[in-house]
Amino acid sequence: MSKTKKIAIYGKGGIGKSTTVANLAASFANKGKNVMVIGCDPKADTTRTLCGKRLPTILKTIKENKNPDISDIIFEGYGGVLSTESGGPEPGVGCAGRGVIVAMKLLEKLGVFSENDFDVIIYDVLGDVVCGGFAVPLKEDYADEVYIVSSGEYMSLYAANNISKGIKKLKGNLSGIVCNCKGIKNENEIVDSFAQKIGTKVIGVISRSELIQSSELEAKTVVEKYPDSTESKNYSILADSIWNNNFVSSLNPLDDDEFEDFFKKFIS
């Protein structure tokens, strides 16, 4: 069995984490990789653009059927990417981490990991709330590499810094930051400087694009909808960078005052 690249993608809510995961998966599939995507966010929207629709979540499925088959919870999407969503409680009720834990245990029980020779497994993990769901992919050794999606905006990088604190506490490897641009001044410089400051690096840059948004409205990745576009090529480059990445971080997250001082240097 080949060595599986097990990746967890974190980031502030709304930063484009799920978009990055889906387009990365599609790019890996186009390169002939055997890919699985596991959505670990209660919103359960990671795999929509891979499968063309929202999937029934594992948590909801087992409420109706205590012994589901693999076909009840795993679906094949674009390029043969196997997709599943853990699901979670409704807003304001229960812990988001419970859905992730239950989902992972069920996937193990059904032999999903042992019976498939995956090249890449990608986890899309909620990043704003540092609860049990945040910790599962790293604490339970499901993921070996972590990537944070961030823009150069203050709150996005503030969240990235907090996430890096959690990664360090869990002894995870922050293998890089994906700069998902929002079009602000000096954005690439800000994110690159931040990455270096905390002991990691920028692994790729995705420019702001209406093509990505219009693709999502049709429940497709830009890789599928516009395969010859610059955007699709950028995701392909990012996939190659991650595939070939062996970087081991030495994390040194900033405290709040250090982060404030860092960001103020870029405000003219």
Side-chain angles (χ1 to χ4, degrees), residues 51-193:
C51 297
K53 62 180 181 180
R54 285 184 176 271
L55 301 181
T57 68
I58 291 177
L59 212 59
K60 183 177 181 180
T61 299
I62 61 176
K63 283 181 180 179
E64 300 169 356
N65 177 8
K66 298 297 183 183
N67 296 295
D69 295 327
I70 289 179
S71 60
D72 295 323
I73 59 171
I74 296 181
F75 304 85
E76 187 172 311
Y78 172 80
V81 175
L82 295 187
S83 304
T84 190
E85 296 279 357
S86 68
E90 294 181 5
V93 182
C95 172
R98 180 176 175 270
V100 181
I101 295 167
V102 171
M104 297 310 300
K105 297 303 181 185
L106 179 59
L107 293 174
E108 285 185 329
K109 178 183 176 182
L110 294 175
V112 173
F113 303 120
S114 60
E115 296 179 13
N116 291 277
D117 192 10
F118 292 116
D119 296 301
V120 184
I121 300 175
I122 310 177
Y123 300 87
D124 179 10
V125 191
L126 70 168
D128 291 80
V129 183
V130 185
C131 70
F134 177 99
V136 170
L138 295 177
K139 194 172 183 180
E140 303 297 330
D141 294 326
Y142 291 119
D144 300 319
E145 302 175 27
V146 178
Y147 295 90
I148 297 176
V149 177
S150 179
S151 68
E153 297 167 304
Y154 176 89
M155 287 307 300
S156 178
L157 282 177
Y158 182 81
N161 190 58
N162 278 341
I163 291 167
S164 70
K165 292 177 183 178
I167 294 168
K168 182 175 182 178
K169 187 171 184 177
L170 293 167
K171 296 181 172 57
N173 179 39
L174 179 52
S175 301
I177 292 177
V178 177
C179 180
N180 194 38
C181 295
K182 298 298 183 182
I184 69 171
K185 185 179 178 182
N186 301 323
E187 189 157 23
N188 288 0
E189 181 186 356
I190 292 171
V191 178
D192 186 61
S193 296

Side-chain angles (χ1 to χ4, degrees), residues 225-245:
K225 178 68 177 175
Y226 300 105
D228 298 321
S229 66
T230 298
E231 290 81 355
S232 179
K233 291 174 183 175
N234 285 340
Y235 280 116
S236 179
I237 291 170
L238 176 60
D240 285 338
S241 297
I242 289 176
W243 181 257
N244 295 311
N245 188 28

